[in-house]
Amino acid sequence: MGRALLAVVLTALAGCPPRKAPERGVELVFTKSGDVRLAVERRLARLGVKARLADDETTITVRLPQTGAPVDVAAVKALLSVPAKLEFCKEAAQPSRAHCEAPAPADGGAPGPDVERVPDDFDEGHCMVLGREPAALFAAVDAGTQGRVLVGAGRGGQLRTYVAEPGCLAPRVLRAEVSTELPVVNIVFDGPSAEQFSSMTAETVQRRLLIVIDGVVTAAPVVQTPITGGRAMVPLEPGSTPAQAATLTAALESGPIEGGLSLSREGPYGPPSLAP
């Protein structure tokens, strides 16, 4: 009787499915603004990373399970932290030396000695402001009620100001790849963006078109003819490394994340490992 009962118990145990090991991994918690889940999913897919996501109004949690090949956590954090907001802006037509005059000090807005007003590189009839601190440059330029002040690389390692018209184009990028010949990214727009870009460049012939990445002017070429075909070259910021170029390329294809994600917590999740 005892042997028969033991046989029944062993048979039942043999038929039970194996117990699934508890999941462990790395958990990254980011603060966010707006709905970023789709862009996060696309960026993780570009890295070939499978993750578990959970989000609420202010945060998104990315869980990276320790299964299969190790995940490059540093690459995940780098890719999710880049806003990758690409814009094309028409430079505002300024009256002669419109923003060469220092603003009135009534509101404490007069710039200090850390900014310099010099003739513009493209048109000496206008002025640009040079300096090293963006805040001082923004305070030094009056763009009027509709314009937008932007900064980019200037002379001698300083920053310089630009004034853009309202209504910049933020295109939808279908493909992006780093050029092997020049420090630029080659991009392909979707149909509606291609049409808008063609119209914008037609309106900007013999004027500068500001190429802006995450609020920084990376180039300001003079448009010679309308640009059609839904393609463009986007210069990178001076000093960009191959790794930064690759990260930006992947982010552009995946879609922008407004303001980027800010990592607020990182650590393991799951039960403690029994490994020594």
Side-chain angles (χ1 to χ4, degrees):
M1 180 67 179
R3 291 183 178 179
L5 180 59
L6 178 60
V8 170
V9 172
L10 292 176
T11 300
L13 290 176
C16 293
R19 185 178 179 183
K20 186 177 180 180
E23 183 179 280
R24 299 182 177 88
V26 175
E27 181 178 83
L28 307 174
V29 181
F30 299 90
T31 57
K32 67 180 182 73
S33 175
D35 186 2
V36 301
R37 188 180 183 111
L38 181 57
V40 170
E41 290 174 346
R42 288 174 173 169
R43 295 190 184 193
L44 293 174
R46 280 294 303 260
L47 293 175
V49 172
K50 294 182 178 180
R52 303 186 189 281
L53 304 181
D55 57 347
D56 55 30
E57 292 184 358
T58 60
T59 66
I60 183 166
T61 300
V62 180
R63 284 189 164 186
L64 306 171
Q66 293 178 345
T67 57
V71 175
D72 187 342
V73 178
V76 171
K77 292 189 290 186
L79 186 54
L80 296 184
S81 66
V82 177
K85 184 176 182 179
L86 172 64
E87 298 174 280
F88 295 93
C89 303
K90 292 187 288 186
E91 186 176 34
Q94 297 294 313
S96 178
R97 295 183 178 269
H99 60 281
C100 278
E101 299 299 327
D107 299 323
D114 53 343
V115 299
E116 179 185 6
R117 300 171 189 277
V118 298
D120 188 274
D121 291 331
F122 173 61
D123 182 358
E124 292 190 354
H126 297 83
C127 284
M128 61 182 180
V129 182
L130 296 176
R132 298 191 180 278
E133 296 297 328
L137 293 174
F138 291 137
V141 178
D142 180 8
T145 59
Q146 299 295 323
R148 175 184 174 193
V149 180
L150 295 165
V151 299
R155 303 172 186 171
Q158 298 188 90
L159 298 173
R160 61 149 296 172
T161 57
Y162 296 90
V163 179
E165 289 185 2
C168 295
L169 170 63
R172 169 76 175 92
V173 177
L174 293 182
R175 294 196 303 278
E177 61 180 11
V178 179
S179 171
T180 58
E181 299 179 0
L182 296 171
V184 301
V185 172
N186 297 318
I187 61 173
V188 178
F189 306 131
D190 69 358
S193 297
E195 293 180 5
Q196 292 173 322
F197 185 68
S198 178
S199 297
M200 172 176 277
T201 54
E203 298 168 357
T204 322
V205 172
Q206 299 305 315
R207 291 170 55 191
R208 286 190 296 200
L209 181 68
L210 309 180
I211 302 175
V212 186
I213 300 178
D214 296 335
V216 176
V217 177
T218 63
V222 177
V223 177
Q224 302 298 334
T225 59
I227 303 173
T228 60
R231 297 173 180 270
M233 294 190 302
V234 177
L236 304 179
E237 287 191 67
S240 296
T241 66
Q244 290 171 326
T247 297
L248 177 61
T249 299
L252 286 173
E253 275 197 359
S254 305
I257 294 177
E258 189 66 35
L261 297 181
S262 177
L263 184 66
S264 59
R265 188 170 73 250
E266 175 182 358
Y269 75 90
S273 174
L274 298 179

